[in-house]
Structure formats: C-alpha cells, structure tokens
Amino acid sequence: IIFCGCAGKQNPAALTICGGEAIIYESESGDRIIARYFTLSDRSLDFVKVTLPGGKEYTLPQAISASGVRYTDDRELVWWTKGNTAFAEVRDENGQWKKKYDCKEIPGNK
C-alpha cells in the first residue's frame, strides 16, 4: 500500500518520497524480514528498504523482471516479491546469486 498525496504535473525540484507501511515477512526457518516499499511522487522510481535478520538494511531500486517485482543493487542483495511471498538472494563465495531467505508475508501485519 502506497500513500501519496501527489496529483497533476510535478515540479522536479518538489519531488517527495511516498511510502507504505512496513510489511513483515517470515522465512521457513522463522527469520523475520521487514520491507518498506516507496515511490517518488512523479512515479519515476520505485524502491524498497529491506531489513534482514541482524538489522542490516538495504535500499534497493526496482529492476526489470519477467514475473513478480524485483529489487536489487546488483552487488549484494536481490529482493523478489510475488503476491504474499518474497525471497532474498545473496552472492556466494564464487559471486553467484544464491537464495538465502524464502518468505511469506505475515497476515495482518500492515
């Protein structure tokens, strides 16, 4: 859910960040991940702030995907969502993407 009081033609100097409430996901192992989805008021950029277990936070821009919604910095983390599911991929020791967290949204946490 994104709340944004933006309408009509926007002045680029007056861009604002519109954001939704935190969504909490839980992995199969019980780890919790918090995601907050945002967009710029002119809709030119969507991004997510993901807080992983342990408190490390990433800000990731939305990237092109064939299915679902994909956010990535192309270095450390990929965050994919589709419906009420999400997963995070991190790079392994060889630089290959590897799924680390497979999650479902906790119902009623919005």
Side-chain angles (χ1 to χ4, degrees):
I1 300 174
I2 301 217
F3 300 100
C4 190
C6 313
K9 191 173 181 179
Q10 297 293 316
N11 174 351
L15 284 177
T16 58
I17 297 173
C18 306
E21 297 180 27
I23 297 176
I24 302 169
Y25 296 87
E26 187 170 70
S27 72
E28 295 172 336
S29 63
D31 289 315
R32 290 197 172 189
I33 296 172
I34 299 169
R36 293 182 54 88
Y37 299 92
F38 297 91
T39 190
L40 292 182
S41 57
D42 70 353
R43 305 278 188 212
S44 64
L45 175 69
D46 294 325
F47 61 98
V48 65
K49 284 188 171 272
V50 177
T51 305
L52 297 179
K56 178 130 183 177
E57 184 177 83
Y58 294 87
T59 301
L60 308 170
Q62 186 174 342
I64 296 172
S65 68
S67 179
V69 184
R70 180 175 161 256
Y71 302 87
T72 185
D73 60 7
D74 282 328
R75 292 174 298 147
E76 294 184 45
L77 186 70
V78 176
W79 178 251
W80 285 86
T81 63
K82 187 170 185 179
N84 68 343
T85 62
F87 67 88
E89 292 180 324
V90 296
R91 291 200 186 264
D92 65 15
E93 61 278 352
N94 298 318
Q96 300 298 311
W97 291 108
K98 176 182 162 188
K99 190 183 285 188
K100 180 159 181 152
Y101 299 104
D102 200 357
C103 310
K104 280 195 170 186
E105 184 180 330
I106 296 174
N109 75 85
K110 294 180 189 175

